[in-house]
Amino acid sequence: ADMFANEEGGPEPDWVITEREQFSDFRDLNKDGKMDKEEIQHWILPQDYDHALAEARHLVYESDVDKDQRLTKEEVLDNWNMFVGSQATNYGEDLTRNHDEL
């Protein structure tokens, strides 16, 4: 109710519709209308999901201003807060070490 108070006859926000679709299409694997322990485990820790690759793609997508799939030094520096706050950089610790590729 804090996020969405369903008013009688009122339209649902787009995000609620999207979440319902995600639930029915991907999370409720046995289609019983609720999530059991195995479905929750698959949702939280999917076996076919590469977290490092997903985080790297996220950083490039958010920081690549000219959308050339390459990050310039300026693009990285302009988005330093995203890199410092990322698991990919060990929350900034890896940025303090010398790297040949930089």
Side-chain angles (χ1 to χ4, degrees):
D2 290 340
M3 295 173 60
F4 169 63
N6 191 6
E7 297 176 13
E8 195 75 28
E12 289 184 332
D14 290 341
W15 70 268
V16 173
I17 295 168
T18 300
E19 285 302 315
R20 285 187 194 282
E21 291 170 357
Q22 286 290 317
F23 176 80
S24 64
D25 295 345
F26 302 108
R27 294 195 181 108
D28 186 17
L29 300 174
N30 63 8
K31 306 300 182 201
D32 67 353
K34 56 189 174 202
M35 291 178 70
D36 59 29
K37 182 179 178 181
E38 288 78 25
E39 290 168 329
I40 293 170
Q41 184 175 5
H42 182 267
W43 173 44
I44 294 173
L45 297 170
Q47 299 299 316
D48 56 346
Y49 184 74
D50 185 338
H51 293 279
L53 181 60
E55 181 65 11
R57 285 182 176 161
H58 168 71
L59 290 171
V60 171
Y61 177 81
E62 294 295 330
S63 302
D64 186 18
V65 176
D66 58 10
K67 301 301 180 200
D68 65 352
Q69 297 296 306
R70 296 174 184 251
L71 295 179
T72 64
K73 181 178 179 179
E74 290 75 27
E75 288 172 326
V76 172
L77 292 175
D78 287 346
N79 293 288
W80 68 270
N81 56 338
M82 188 170 306
F83 287 89
V84 171
S86 170
Q87 286 181 326
T89 63
N90 197 16
Y91 300 102
E93 283 189 38
D94 293 344
L95 300 176
T96 62
R97 299 187 183 108
N98 288 331
H99 292 275
D100 291 339
E101 68 274 11
L102 296 178

